[in-house]
Amino acid sequence: GQQVMQIPQYQHVQEGEDFTTYCNSSTTLSNIQWYKQRPGGHPVFLIQLVKSGEVKKQKRLTFQFGEAKKNSSLHITATQTTDVGTYFCAGPANAGGTSYGKLTFGQGTILTVHP
Amino acid sequence: NAGVTQTPKFRILKIGQSMTLQCTQDMNHNYMYWYRQDPGMGLKLIYYSVGAGITDKGEVPNGYNVSRSTTEDFPLRLELAAPSQTSVYFCASRLRGRAERDTEAFFGQGTRLTVV
């Protein structure tokens, strides 16, 4: 079945350092979504990428979708303590057919930021 | 703006007990989902529904049941609780999207369940 792998599993950074998490799918994705989950909280939607090679920015966050639409990355510039949490990528669960909005999530990257 | 509401937030069950996790959304979303989250494992889909009266299994449905009698409510039933069902459960909902443009999913606050 479809798999979405995400690395690294953990990342510890000093405040001000950059952070990147990578997402790889075993199948071509029609789109990819990114979610953030604060400690003890619930996943919150960040962004969706649809086009091959797409790059989107949200302030210090940069999201990329690979040319083959099988990989994606999230880069945070100059991390802040407010960036702490788990970042998940997620793709449609049915690679070829209708997904009905179902998502296959990566394992997530847990980011800790030391002040 | 309640969004997706789950109850209870925490629950401890004994092996073999039953319980229902409640989920309701007030956004008139067609699609609803139940995910479970285990440490280091991401979120796994248990069941989903595309509308009232229509439900289907996800990736890890064993030991669970659902129903969808209204657009707003999507309860998850555990019949015979087992330690393997210790997890955090999230209900989510979203609008039906066009092809390749799935809409964002809105998650509830989660239910932390421990089976002892």
Side-chain angles (χ1 to χ4, degrees), chain A residues 9 30-31 33 35 37 40-43 45 48 50-51 69 88 92 99-103 105-107, chain B residues 31 33 35 37 40-43 45 48 50 57 90 94 100-105 107-110 112:
Chain A
Q9 188 174 2
S30 59
N31 65 78
Q33 298 186 356
Y35 290 79
Q37 182 179 26
H42 60 282
F45 175 83
Q48 176 178 264
V50 178
K51 298 177 182 176
K69 301 182 77 173
F88 292 99
S99 69
Y100 298 110
K102 296 177 292 179
L103 293 171
F105 282 83
Q107 300 94 321
Chain B
Y31 296 164
Y33 314 87
Y35 291 91
Q37 183 178 27
M41 299 294 290
L43 288 86
L45 181 65
Y48 70 101
V50 300
K57 297 177 180 178
F90 288 102
R94 70 197 307 168
E100 294 197 7
R101 289 200 172 269
D102 282 331
T103 54
E104 67 178 276
F107 285 80
Q109 300 293 323
R112 190 173 298 272

mmCIF file of all heavy atoms in Angstrom, chain A residues 9 30-31 33 35 37 40-43 45 48 50-51 69 88 92 99-103 105-107, chain B residues 31 33 35 37 40-43 45 48 50 57 90 94 100-105 107-110 112:
data_model
loop_
_atom_site.group_PDB
_atom_site.id
_atom_site.type_symbol
_atom_site.label_atom_id
_atom_site.label_comp_id
_atom_site.label_asym_id
_atom_site.label_seq_id
_atom_site.Cartn_x
_atom_site.Cartn_y
_atom_site.Cartn_z
ATOM 1 N N GLN A 9 12.980 11.898 12.467
ATOM 2 C CA GLN A 9 11.908 11.690 13.430
ATOM 3 C C GLN A 9 11.959 12.768 14.516
ATOM 4 O O GLN A 9 10.931 13.195 15.012
ATOM 5 C CB GLN A 9 12.023 10.306 14.069
ATOM 6 C CG GLN A 9 10.828 9.949 14.949
ATOM 7 C CD GLN A 9 10.882 8.512 15.450
ATOM 8 O OE1 GLN A 9 11.836 7.784 15.180
ATOM 9 N NE2 GLN A 9 9.863 8.112 16.194
ATOM 10 N N SER A 30 -1.262 13.530 -5.932
ATOM 11 C CA SER A 30 -1.954 14.624 -6.609
ATOM 12 C C SER A 30 -1.752 15.932 -5.838
ATOM 13 O O SER A 30 -1.789 17.019 -6.417
ATOM 14 C CB SER A 30 -3.447 14.328 -6.725
ATOM 15 O OG SER A 30 -4.008 14.141 -5.440
ATOM 16 N N ASN A 31 -1.566 15.830 -4.539
ATOM 17 C CA ASN A 31 -1.286 17.008 -3.737
ATOM 18 C C ASN A 31 -0.659 16.544 -2.428
ATOM 19 O O ASN A 31 -0.688 15.350 -2.110
ATOM 20 C CB ASN A 31 -2.552 17.829 -3.458
ATOM 21 C CG ASN A 31 -3.558 17.081 -2.594
ATOM 22 O OD1 ASN A 31 -3.406 16.985 -1.378
ATOM 23 N ND2 ASN A 31 -4.584 16.526 -3.219
ATOM 24 N N GLN A 33 -0.263 17.840 1.787
ATOM 25 C CA GLN A 33 -0.621 18.811 2.810
ATOM 26 C C GLN A 33 0.365 18.714 3.967
ATOM 27 O O GLN A 33 0.961 17.662 4.205
ATOM 28 C CB GLN A 33 -2.045 18.553 3.314
ATOM 29 C CG GLN A 33 -3.106 18.702 2.241
ATOM 30 C CD GLN A 33 -4.523 18.594 2.773
ATOM 31 O OE1 GLN A 33 -4.759 18.326 3.953
ATOM 32 N NE2 GLN A 33 -5.507 18.821 1.902
ATOM 33 N N TYR A 35 0.736 19.671 8.158
ATOM 34 C CA TYR A 35 0.037 19.992 9.397
ATOM 35 C C TYR A 35 1.051 20.183 10.517
ATOM 36 O O TYR A 35 2.122 19.568 10.516
ATOM 37 C CB TYR A 35 -0.934 18.867 9.791
ATOM 38 C CG TYR A 35 -2.128 18.737 8.885
ATOM 39 C CD1 TYR A 35 -2.028 18.093 7.663
ATOM 40 C CD2 TYR A 35 -3.357 19.270 9.254
ATOM 41 C CE1 TYR A 35 -3.123 17.993 6.824
ATOM 42 C CE2 TYR A 35 -4.462 19.167 8.427
ATOM 43 C CZ TYR A 35 -4.333 18.529 7.219
ATOM 44 O OH TYR A 35 -5.431 18.433 6.378
ATOM 45 N N GLN A 37 1.308 20.100 14.815
ATOM 46 C CA GLN A 37 0.637 19.705 16.050
ATOM 47 C C GLN A 37 1.489 20.186 17.222
ATOM 48 O O GLN A 37 2.603 19.724 17.428
ATOM 49 C CB GLN A 37 0.467 18.185 16.105
ATOM 50 C CG GLN A 37 -0.275 17.685 17.329
ATOM 51 C CD GLN A 37 -0.436 16.160 17.315
ATOM 52 O OE1 GLN A 37 0.351 15.448 16.703
ATOM 53 N NE2 GLN A 37 -1.451 15.657 17.992
ATOM 54 N N GLY A 40 0.593 18.227 23.032
ATOM 55 C CA GLY A 40 -0.701 18.064 23.687
ATOM 56 C C GLY A 40 -1.873 18.555 22.875
ATOM 57 O O GLY A 40 -3.014 18.532 23.355
ATOM 58 N N GLY A 41 -1.624 19.020 21.659
ATOM 59 C CA GLY A 41 -2.687 19.587 20.847
ATOM 60 C C GLY A 41 -3.117 18.686 19.715
ATOM 61 O O GLY A 41 -2.824 17.490 19.689
ATOM 62 N N HIS A 42 -3.820 19.267 18.766
ATOM 63 C CA HIS A 42 -4.323 18.529 17.625
ATOM 64 C C HIS A 42 -3.683 19.057 16.349
ATOM 65 O O HIS A 42 -3.203 20.190 16.311
ATOM 66 C CB HIS A 42 -5.848 18.660 17.550
ATOM 67 C CG HIS A 42 -6.330 20.069 17.397
ATOM 68 N ND1 HIS A 42 -6.381 20.957 18.451
ATOM 69 C CD2 HIS A 42 -6.763 20.747 16.322
ATOM 70 C CE1 HIS A 42 -6.838 22.109 18.030
ATOM 71 N NE2 HIS A 42 -7.074 22.015 16.734
ATOM 72 N N PRO A 43 -3.655 18.248 15.281
ATOM 73 C CA PRO A 43 -3.078 18.726 14.018
ATOM 74 C C PRO A 43 -3.846 19.912 13.472
ATOM 75 O O PRO A 43 -5.077 19.932 13.476
ATOM 76 C CB PRO A 43 -3.201 17.505 13.103
ATOM 77 C CG PRO A 43 -3.290 16.340 14.017
ATOM 78 C CD PRO A 43 -4.054 16.828 15.202
ATOM 79 N N PHE A 45 -3.937 22.455 10.034
ATOM 80 C CA PHE A 45 -3.528 22.587 8.637
ATOM 81 C C PHE A 45 -2.630 23.794 8.447
ATOM 82 O O PHE A 45 -2.909 24.900 8.944
ATOM 83 C CB PHE A 45 -4.788 22.714 7.783
ATOM 84 C CG PHE A 45 -4.556 22.975 6.322
ATOM 85 C CD1 PHE A 45 -4.277 21.921 5.465
ATOM 86 C CD2 PHE A 45 -4.622 24.262 5.806
ATOM 87 C CE1 PHE A 45 -4.082 22.151 4.116
ATOM 88 C CE2 PHE A 45 -4.428 24.502 4.467
ATOM 89 C CZ PHE A 45 -4.165 23.434 3.614
ATOM 90 N N GLN A 48 -1.328 23.451 1.493
ATOM 91 C CA GLN A 48 -1.441 22.386 0.512
ATOM 92 C C GLN A 48 -0.639 22.772 -0.730
ATOM 93 O O GLN A 48 -0.694 23.917 -1.176
ATOM 94 C CB GLN A 48 -2.905 22.156 0.116
ATOM 95 C CG GLN A 48 -3.068 21.127 -0.985
ATOM 96 C CD GLN A 48 -4.510 20.871 -1.353
ATOM 97 O OE1 GLN A 48 -5.120 19.935 -0.855
ATOM 98 N NE2 GLN A 48 -5.059 21.711 -2.210
ATOM 99 N N VAL A 50 0.070 21.569 -4.788
ATOM 100 C CA VAL A 50 -0.611 20.806 -5.828
ATOM 101 C C VAL A 50 0.251 20.616 -7.074
ATOM 102 O O VAL A 50 0.242 19.552 -7.692
ATOM 103 C CB VAL A 50 -1.935 21.493 -6.221
ATOM 104 C CG1 VAL A 50 -2.632 20.726 -7.335
ATOM 105 C CG2 VAL A 50 -2.854 21.618 -5.026
ATOM 106 N N LYS A 51 1.011 21.641 -7.438
ATOM 107 C CA LYS A 51 1.723 21.607 -8.708
ATOM 108 C C LYS A 51 3.125 21.041 -8.570
ATOM 109 O O LYS A 51 3.807 21.255 -7.546
ATOM 110 C CB LYS A 51 1.811 23.012 -9.279
ATOM 111 C CG LYS A 51 0.460 23.645 -9.583
ATOM 112 C CD LYS A 51 0.630 25.075 -10.077
ATOM 113 C CE LYS A 51 -0.707 25.730 -10.333
ATOM 114 N NZ LYS A 51 -0.542 27.145 -10.724
ATOM 115 N N LYS A 69 6.466 14.929 -7.905
ATOM 116 C CA LYS A 69 5.309 14.904 -6.989
ATOM 117 C C LYS A 69 5.323 13.650 -6.116
ATOM 118 O O LYS A 69 4.286 13.065 -5.800
ATOM 119 C CB LYS A 69 3.985 15.001 -7.770
ATOM 120 C CG LYS A 69 3.884 16.262 -8.607
ATOM 121 C CD LYS A 69 2.568 16.404 -9.335
ATOM 122 C CE LYS A 69 1.459 16.845 -8.434
ATOM 123 N NZ LYS A 69 0.204 17.138 -9.157
ATOM 124 N N PHE A 88 3.740 17.263 10.323
ATOM 125 C CA PHE A 88 3.336 16.111 9.529
ATOM 126 C C PHE A 88 3.111 16.502 8.075
ATOM 127 O O PHE A 88 2.519 17.543 7.801
ATOM 128 C CB PHE A 88 1.997 15.537 10.026
ATOM 129 C CG PHE A 88 2.035 14.905 11.384
ATOM 130 C CD1 PHE A 88 1.617 15.608 12.502
ATOM 131 C CD2 PHE A 88 2.456 13.598 11.548
ATOM 132 C CE1 PHE A 88 1.621 15.030 13.764
ATOM 133 C CE2 PHE A 88 2.470 13.007 12.803
ATOM 134 C CZ PHE A 88 2.058 13.722 13.907
ATOM 135 N N PRO A 92 -3.056 12.213 -0.243
ATOM 136 C CA PRO A 92 -4.320 11.498 -0.442
ATOM 137 C C PRO A 92 -4.100 9.996 -0.305
ATOM 138 O O PRO A 92 -3.136 9.449 -0.834
ATOM 139 C CB PRO A 92 -4.722 11.879 -1.858
ATOM 140 C CG PRO A 92 -4.023 13.158 -2.135
ATOM 141 C CD PRO A 92 -2.732 13.072 -1.380
ATOM 142 N N SER A 99 -9.963 9.652 -3.244
ATOM 143 C CA SER A 99 -9.492 9.478 -1.871
ATOM 144 C C SER A 99 -10.578 9.795 -0.857
ATOM 145 O O SER A 99 -10.443 9.425 0.305
ATOM 146 C CB SER A 99 -8.267 10.359 -1.620
ATOM 147 O OG SER A 99 -8.636 11.721 -1.627
ATOM 148 N N TYR A 100 -11.647 10.473 -1.271
ATOM 149 C CA TYR A 100 -12.677 10.937 -0.333
ATOM 150 C C TYR A 100 -12.054 11.726 0.819
ATOM 151 O O TYR A 100 -12.517 11.675 1.948
ATOM 152 C CB TYR A 100 -13.504 9.773 0.217
ATOM 153 C CG TYR A 100 -14.260 9.025 -0.851
ATOM 154 C CD1 TYR A 100 -13.908 7.741 -1.207
ATOM 155 C CD2 TYR A 100 -15.333 9.633 -1.497
ATOM 156 C CE1 TYR A 100 -14.591 7.063 -2.210
ATOM 157 C CE2 TYR A 100 -16.024 8.961 -2.488
ATOM 158 C CZ TYR A 100 -15.651 7.674 -2.843
ATOM 159 O OH TYR A 100 -16.334 7.008 -3.818
ATOM 160 N N GLY A 101 -10.973 12.411 0.492
ATOM 161 C CA GLY A 101 -10.343 13.249 1.498
ATOM 162 C C GLY A 101 -9.544 12.499 2.539
ATOM 163 O O GLY A 101 -9.027 13.104 3.479
ATOM 164 N N LYS A 102 -9.434 11.172 2.385
ATOM 165 C CA LYS A 102 -8.637 10.409 3.345
ATOM 166 C C LYS A 102 -7.168 10.771 3.175
ATOM 167 O O LYS A 102 -6.705 11.026 2.074
ATOM 168 C CB LYS A 102 -8.818 8.916 3.118
ATOM 169 C CG LYS A 102 -10.219 8.399 3.359
ATOM 170 C CD LYS A 102 -10.301 6.918 3.026
ATOM 171 C CE LYS A 102 -10.137 6.699 1.552
ATOM 172 N NZ LYS A 102 -10.182 5.259 1.179
ATOM 173 N N LEU A 103 -6.442 10.764 4.270
ATOM 174 C CA LEU A 103 -5.042 11.145 4.239
ATOM 175 C C LEU A 103 -4.160 10.022 4.747
ATOM 176 O O LEU A 103 -4.504 9.338 5.715
ATOM 177 C CB LEU A 103 -4.803 12.386 5.101
ATOM 178 C CG LEU A 103 -5.443 13.680 4.622
ATOM 179 C CD1 LEU A 103 -5.306 14.764 5.683
ATOM 180 C CD2 LEU A 103 -4.822 14.142 3.308
ATOM 181 N N PHE A 105 -0.636 9.842 6.472
ATOM 182 C CA PHE A 105 0.286 10.745 7.146
ATOM 183 C C PHE A 105 1.679 10.139 7.215
ATOM 184 O O PHE A 105 1.861 8.930 7.355
ATOM 185 C CB PHE A 105 -0.182 11.004 8.581
ATOM 186 C CG PHE A 105 -1.306 11.988 8.688
ATOM 187 C CD1 PHE A 105 -2.618 11.585 8.502
ATOM 188 C CD2 PHE A 105 -1.056 13.319 8.974
ATOM 189 C CE1 PHE A 105 -3.664 12.496 8.591
ATOM 190 C CE2 PHE A 105 -2.089 14.228 9.075
ATOM 191 C CZ PHE A 105 -3.392 13.818 8.875
ATOM 192 N N GLY A 106 2.681 11.014 7.126
ATOM 193 C CA GLY A 106 4.016 10.613 7.506
ATOM 194 C C GLY A 106 4.084 10.469 9.024
ATOM 195 O O GLY A 106 3.144 10.846 9.740
ATOM 196 N N GLN A 107 5.212 9.931 9.493
ATOM 197 C CA GLN A 107 5.343 9.678 10.934
ATOM 198 C C GLN A 107 5.507 10.958 11.740
ATOM 199 O O GLN A 107 5.337 10.955 12.950
ATOM 200 C CB GLN A 107 6.542 8.761 11.211
ATOM 201 C CG GLN A 107 6.451 7.416 10.554
ATOM 202 C CD GLN A 107 7.160 7.413 9.218
ATOM 203 O OE1 GLN A 107 7.105 8.377 8.457
ATOM 204 N NE2 GLN A 107 7.822 6.311 8.913
ATOM 205 N N TYR B 31 -17.515 15.092 4.716
ATOM 206 C CA TYR B 31 -16.589 14.018 5.079
ATOM 207 C C TYR B 31 -16.177 14.101 6.543
ATOM 208 O O TYR B 31 -15.846 15.180 7.042
ATOM 209 C CB TYR B 31 -15.324 14.093 4.221
ATOM 210 C CG TYR B 31 -15.517 13.866 2.740
ATOM 211 C CD1 TYR B 31 -14.521 14.236 1.845
ATOM 212 C CD2 TYR B 31 -16.658 13.283 2.232
ATOM 213 C CE1 TYR B 31 -14.665 14.028 0.477
ATOM 214 C CE2 TYR B 31 -16.821 13.059 0.876
ATOM 215 C CZ TYR B 31 -15.819 13.444 0.002
ATOM 216 O OH TYR B 31 -15.971 13.230 -1.351
ATOM 217 N N TYR B 33 -13.870 11.695 9.667
ATOM 218 C CA TYR B 33 -12.857 10.659 9.819
ATOM 219 C C TYR B 33 -12.550 10.428 11.290
ATOM 220 O O TYR B 33 -12.665 11.331 12.114
ATOM 221 C CB TYR B 33 -11.537 11.085 9.130
ATOM 222 C CG TYR B 33 -11.723 11.647 7.757
ATOM 223 C CD1 TYR B 33 -11.984 13.002 7.591
ATOM 224 C CD2 TYR B 33 -11.658 10.831 6.636
ATOM 225 C CE1 TYR B 33 -12.180 13.525 6.318
ATOM 226 C CE2 TYR B 33 -11.837 11.351 5.366
ATOM 227 C CZ TYR B 33 -12.111 12.696 5.220
ATOM 228 O OH TYR B 33 -12.305 13.215 3.959
ATOM 229 N N TYR B 35 -9.119 9.059 13.280
ATOM 230 C CA TYR B 35 -7.724 8.643 13.241
ATOM 231 C C TYR B 35 -7.288 8.288 14.658
ATOM 232 O O TYR B 35 -7.780 8.842 15.629
ATOM 233 C CB TYR B 35 -6.822 9.774 12.740
ATOM 234 C CG TYR B 35 -6.982 10.136 11.286
ATOM 235 C CD1 TYR B 35 -7.885 11.117 10.888
ATOM 236 C CD2 TYR B 35 -6.199 9.525 10.304
ATOM 237 C CE1 TYR B 35 -8.021 11.472 9.554
ATOM 238 C CE2 TYR B 35 -6.326 9.871 8.964
ATOM 239 C CZ TYR B 35 -7.242 10.847 8.601
ATOM 240 O OH TYR B 35 -7.372 11.189 7.275
ATOM 241 N N GLN B 37 -3.596 8.064 16.907
ATOM 242 C CA GLN B 37 -2.203 8.486 16.881
ATOM 243 C C GLN B 37 -1.436 7.784 17.974
ATOM 244 O O GLN B 37 -1.734 7.943 19.161
ATOM 245 C CB GLN B 37 -2.095 10.012 17.070
ATOM 246 C CG GLN B 37 -0.666 10.511 16.987
ATOM 247 C CD GLN B 37 -0.570 12.008 17.117
ATOM 248 O OE1 GLN B 37 -1.407 12.658 17.737
ATOM 249 N NE2 GLN B 37 0.459 12.599 16.517
ATOM 250 N N GLY B 40 5.326 8.164 17.534
ATOM 251 C CA GLY B 40 6.241 7.849 16.443
ATOM 252 C C GLY B 40 5.606 7.196 15.242
ATOM 253 O O GLY B 40 6.308 6.761 14.329
ATOM 254 N N MET B 41 4.264 7.127 15.214
ATOM 255 C CA MET B 41 3.601 6.375 14.143
ATOM 256 C C MET B 41 2.725 7.258 13.270
ATOM 257 O O MET B 41 2.059 6.775 12.377
ATOM 258 C CB MET B 41 2.742 5.256 14.737
ATOM 259 C CG MET B 41 3.520 4.246 15.521
ATOM 260 S SD MET B 41 4.642 3.297 14.471
ATOM 261 C CE MET B 41 3.474 2.333 13.534
ATOM 262 N N GLY B 42 2.697 8.542 13.514
ATOM 263 C CA GLY B 42 1.796 9.364 12.732
ATOM 264 C C GLY B 42 0.351 9.064 13.056
ATOM 265 O O GLY B 42 0.035 8.505 14.104
ATOM 266 N N LEU B 43 -0.546 9.407 12.166
ATOM 267 C CA LEU B 43 -1.966 9.166 12.349
ATOM 268 C C LEU B 43 -2.428 8.083 11.391
ATOM 269 O O LEU B 43 -2.082 8.099 10.211
ATOM 270 C CB LEU B 43 -2.775 10.440 12.111
ATOM 271 C CG LEU B 43 -2.683 11.518 13.175
ATOM 272 C CD1 LEU B 43 -1.495 12.426 12.958
ATOM 273 C CD2 LEU B 43 -3.963 12.346 13.203
ATOM 274 N N LEU B 45 -5.785 5.974 9.830
ATOM 275 C CA LEU B 45 -7.222 6.109 9.616
ATOM 276 C C LEU B 45 -7.951 4.861 10.086
ATOM 277 O O LEU B 45 -7.626 3.742 9.677
ATOM 278 C CB LEU B 45 -7.505 6.356 8.139
ATOM 279 C CG LEU B 45 -8.961 6.553 7.756
ATOM 280 C CD1 LEU B 45 -9.510 7.836 8.384
ATOM 281 C CD2 LEU B 45 -9.111 6.602 6.236
ATOM 282 N N TYR B 48 -14.064 6.137 8.070
ATOM 283 C CA TYR B 48 -14.431 7.410 7.514
ATOM 284 C C TYR B 48 -15.866 7.368 6.996
ATOM 285 O O TYR B 48 -16.450 6.294 6.844
ATOM 286 C CB TYR B 48 -13.463 7.851 6.416
ATOM 287 C CG TYR B 48 -13.549 7.053 5.136
ATOM 288 C CD1 TYR B 48 -14.222 7.554 4.025
ATOM 289 C CD2 TYR B 48 -12.915 5.821 5.031
ATOM 290 C CE1 TYR B 48 -14.284 6.829 2.845
ATOM 291 C CE2 TYR B 48 -12.980 5.084 3.860
ATOM 292 C CZ TYR B 48 -13.657 5.591 2.768
ATOM 293 O OH TYR B 48 -13.719 4.877 1.593
ATOM 294 N N VAL B 50 -18.539 9.555 4.126
ATOM 295 C CA VAL B 50 -18.672 10.585 3.093
ATOM 296 C C VAL B 50 -20.023 11.296 3.176
ATOM 297 O O VAL B 50 -20.288 12.204 2.381
ATOM 298 C CB VAL B 50 -18.454 10.011 1.679
ATOM 299 C CG1 VAL B 50 -17.049 9.421 1.578
ATOM 300 C CG2 VAL B 50 -19.507 8.976 1.334
ATOM 301 N N LYS B 57 -14.413 1.387 6.057
ATOM 302 C CA LYS B 57 -13.229 1.109 6.851
ATOM 303 C C LYS B 57 -12.032 1.865 6.323
ATOM 304 O O LYS B 57 -11.895 2.098 5.129
ATOM 305 C CB LYS B 57 -12.930 -0.395 6.833
ATOM 306 C CG LYS B 57 -14.015 -1.249 7.461
ATOM 307 C CD LYS B 57 -13.676 -2.722 7.331
ATOM 308 C CE LYS B 57 -14.766 -3.583 7.969
ATOM 309 N NZ LYS B 57 -14.499 -5.029 7.819
ATOM 310 N N PHE B 90 -8.369 11.071 17.207
ATOM 311 C CA PHE B 90 -8.765 12.351 16.635
ATOM 312 C C PHE B 90 -9.878 12.147 15.627
ATOM 313 O O PHE B 90 -9.800 11.287 14.756
ATOM 314 C CB PHE B 90 -7.585 13.025 15.933
ATOM 315 C CG PHE B 90 -6.551 13.564 16.860
ATOM 316 C CD1 PHE B 90 -5.369 12.876 17.078
ATOM 317 C CD2 PHE B 90 -6.742 14.767 17.518
ATOM 318 C CE1 PHE B 90 -4.399 13.370 17.931
ATOM 319 C CE2 PHE B 90 -5.787 15.282 18.373
ATOM 320 C CZ PHE B 90 -4.613 14.579 18.583
ATOM 321 N N ARG B 94 -14.023 17.541 6.811
ATOM 322 C CA ARG B 94 -13.623 18.445 5.725
ATOM 323 C C ARG B 94 -14.748 18.502 4.712
ATOM 324 O O ARG B 94 -15.584 17.624 4.649
ATOM 325 C CB ARG B 94 -12.341 17.962 5.065
ATOM 326 C CG ARG B 94 -12.510 16.683 4.248
ATOM 327 C CD ARG B 94 -11.206 16.007 3.962
ATOM 328 N NE ARG B 94 -10.226 16.897 3.363
ATOM 329 C CZ ARG B 94 -8.947 16.595 3.228
ATOM 330 N NH1 ARG B 94 -8.501 15.440 3.659
ATOM 331 N NH2 ARG B 94 -8.111 17.448 2.671
ATOM 332 N N GLU B 100 -7.912 16.556 -7.091
ATOM 333 C CA GLU B 100 -6.582 17.134 -6.895
ATOM 334 C C GLU B 100 -6.576 18.335 -5.965
ATOM 335 O O GLU B 100 -5.531 18.848 -5.652
ATOM 336 C CB GLU B 100 -5.935 17.550 -8.224
ATOM 337 C CG GLU B 100 -5.611 16.391 -9.130
ATOM 338 C CD GLU B 100 -4.625 16.784 -10.214
ATOM 339 O OE1 GLU B 100 -4.107 17.911 -10.173
ATOM 340 O OE2 GLU B 100 -4.378 15.956 -11.094
ATOM 341 N N ARG B 101 -7.745 18.761 -5.522
ATOM 342 C CA ARG B 101 -7.755 19.895 -4.609
ATOM 343 C C ARG B 101 -8.544 19.518 -3.365
ATOM 344 O O ARG B 101 -9.640 20.016 -3.133
ATOM 345 C CB ARG B 101 -8.342 21.123 -5.267
ATOM 346 C CG ARG B 101 -7.412 21.695 -6.314
ATOM 347 C CD ARG B 101 -7.723 23.133 -6.635
ATOM 348 N NE ARG B 101 -6.696 23.686 -7.504
ATOM 349 C CZ ARG B 101 -5.620 24.294 -7.083
ATOM 350 N NH1 ARG B 101 -5.432 24.421 -5.790
ATOM 351 N NH2 ARG B 101 -4.735 24.774 -7.932
ATOM 352 N N ASP B 102 -7.981 18.589 -2.623
ATOM 353 C CA ASP B 102 -8.601 18.239 -1.364
ATOM 354 C C ASP B 102 -8.632 19.459 -0.457
ATOM 355 O O ASP B 102 -7.712 20.261 -0.449
ATOM 356 C CB ASP B 102 -7.809 17.117 -0.673
ATOM 357 C CG ASP B 102 -8.099 15.770 -1.288
ATOM 358 O OD1 ASP B 102 -9.196 15.583 -1.808
ATOM 359 O OD2 ASP B 102 -7.224 14.897 -1.228
ATOM 360 N N THR B 103 -9.688 19.587 0.255
ATOM 361 C CA THR B 103 -9.791 20.701 1.193
ATOM 362 C C THR B 103 -9.057 20.351 2.475
ATOM 363 O O THR B 103 -8.732 19.203 2.729
ATOM 364 C CB THR B 103 -11.264 20.981 1.494
ATOM 365 O OG1 THR B 103 -11.871 19.757 1.940
ATOM 366 C CG2 THR B 103 -11.985 21.472 0.256
ATOM 367 N N GLU B 104 -8.818 21.343 3.297
ATOM 368 C CA GLU B 104 -8.094 21.091 4.530
ATOM 369 C C GLU B 104 -8.972 20.320 5.499
ATOM 370 O O GLU B 104 -10.197 20.449 5.499
ATOM 371 C CB GLU B 104 -7.637 22.402 5.168
ATOM 372 C CG GLU B 104 -8.781 23.269 5.676
ATOM 373 C CD GLU B 104 -8.263 24.534 6.337
ATOM 374 O OE1 GLU B 104 -7.915 24.451 7.537
ATOM 375 O OE2 GLU B 104 -8.229 25.572 5.670
ATOM 376 N N ALA B 105 -8.338 19.519 6.327
ATOM 377 C CA ALA B 105 -9.037 18.780 7.363
ATOM 378 C C ALA B 105 -8.990 19.563 8.671
ATOM 379 O O ALA B 105 -7.962 20.132 9.025
ATOM 380 C CB ALA B 105 -8.403 17.407 7.551
ATOM 381 N N PHE B 107 -9.434 19.183 12.706
ATOM 382 C CA PHE B 107 -9.362 18.142 13.719
ATOM 383 C C PHE B 107 -9.984 18.610 15.028
ATOM 384 O O PHE B 107 -9.919 19.792 15.380
ATOM 385 C CB PHE B 107 -7.906 17.747 13.977
ATOM 386 C CG PHE B 107 -7.307 16.912 12.887
ATOM 387 C CD1 PHE B 107 -6.840 17.501 11.722
ATOM 388 C CD2 PHE B 107 -7.232 15.536 13.028
ATOM 389 C CE1 PHE B 107 -6.293 16.726 10.712
ATOM 390 C CE2 PHE B 107 -6.693 14.753 12.026
ATOM 391 C CZ PHE B 107 -6.222 15.352 10.863
ATOM 392 N N GLY B 108 -10.562 17.643 15.747
ATOM 393 C CA GLY B 108 -11.006 17.894 17.096
ATOM 394 C C GLY B 108 -9.813 17.907 18.040
ATOM 395 O O GLY B 108 -8.679 17.660 17.641
ATOM 396 N N GLN B 109 -10.092 18.169 19.328
ATOM 397 C CA GLN B 109 -9.037 18.297 20.323
ATOM 398 C C GLN B 109 -8.434 16.967 20.729
ATOM 399 O O GLN B 109 -7.387 16.924 21.357
ATOM 400 C CB GLN B 109 -9.590 18.989 21.570
ATOM 401 C CG GLN B 109 -10.124 20.378 21.316
ATOM 402 C CD GLN B 109 -9.032 21.359 20.943
ATOM 403 O OE1 GLN B 109 -7.932 21.283 21.475
ATOM 404 N NE2 GLN B 109 -9.305 22.263 20.017
ATOM 405 N N GLY B 110 -9.090 15.870 20.379
ATOM 406 C CA GLY B 110 -8.548 14.556 20.685
ATOM 407 C C GLY B 110 -9.118 13.952 21.952
ATOM 408 O O GLY B 110 -9.546 14.667 22.869
ATOM 409 N N ARG B 112 -7.783 11.134 24.731
ATOM 410 C CA ARG B 112 -6.657 10.296 25.172
ATOM 411 C C ARG B 112 -7.222 9.119 25.941
ATOM 412 O O ARG B 112 -7.763 9.288 27.023
ATOM 413 C CB ARG B 112 -5.702 11.100 26.040
ATOM 414 C CG ARG B 112 -4.395 10.393 26.352
ATOM 415 C CD ARG B 112 -3.436 11.338 27.065
ATOM 416 N NE ARG B 112 -3.076 12.481 26.240
ATOM 417 C CZ ARG B 112 -2.052 12.487 25.387
ATOM 418 N NH1 ARG B 112 -1.310 11.406 25.244
ATOM 419 N NH2 ARG B 112 -1.783 13.568 24.692
#
